[in-house]
Amino acid sequence: MIILDTGATLALAQGHKTLNLLAGNMARTPGDLLRIPALCLMQAESQDDGAAQRVLDFSSVVVDSLNTAASVAVGTMIRDGYGGPDNCHALYCALPRAEFTGMSILLTDRERQYPPGAVTVDIDSPGMLGFH
């Protein structure tokens, strides 16, 4: 599962070349989706008017909702000092889930804001799409 945090969501909305290529490639592969945590989408929209609509125009983008279980877990993470609401929702989405096999990858422009153990990839890293 590939998750975009607030920074990655803003970058996609603003035309980040690699993220746009990734979203386009995923749209052509059935079942491949980019997940944006609802609180990251909210934060991106609060910083850039229209960002939410621009990212939701990609057919490969889905929003990971903040349901009851997520609300409690995200609130606990915030209280325990793991970051703000959007960071914690992204971190929550990257946790193992029964409905997804494999490892989640969190795309971000701020890797250092996540705790050790979270698999993060900087959106500007040269190897993000397998190119070195």
Side-chain angles (χ1 to χ4, degrees):
M1 178 167 55
I2 298 177
I3 302 155
L4 279 67
D5 75 353
T6 301
T9 300
L10 281 168
L12 178 61
Q14 295 167 355
H16 188 278
K17 184 178 179 180
T18 307
L19 287 175
N20 275 260
L21 181 61
L22 177 63
N25 288 342
M26 292 186 85
R28 290 188 292 279
T29 309
D32 281 348
L33 299 170
L34 296 172
R35 295 191 166 275
I36 300 176
L39 294 180
C40 294
L41 185 63
M42 176 203 67
Q43 186 65 32
E45 180 64 25
S46 74
Q47 294 176 26
D48 178 2
D49 182 30
Q53 188 58 53
R54 291 192 304 275
V55 297
L56 293 175
D57 283 343
F58 287 98
S59 62
S60 58
V61 170
V62 295
V63 177
D64 207 290
S65 66
L66 188 67
N67 60 27
T68 304
S71 297
V72 173
V74 169
T76 301
M77 288 178 184
I78 295 167
R79 183 190 64 227
D80 291 348
Y82 285 98
D86 58 331
N87 266 23
C88 289
H89 194 196
L91 190 57
Y92 172 81
C93 289
L95 293 173
R97 298 185 192 193
E99 66 267 23
F100 298 108
T101 58
M103 186 177 297
S104 294
I105 299 169
L106 182 56
L107 299 182
T108 182
D109 64 345
R110 48 196 169 136
E111 286 184 289
R112 290 185 185 96
Q113 291 190 359
Y114 293 98
V119 179
T120 59
V121 175
D122 189 297
I123 60 173
D124 293 317
S125 68
M128 192 177 103
L129 286 178
F131 304 114
H132 299 282

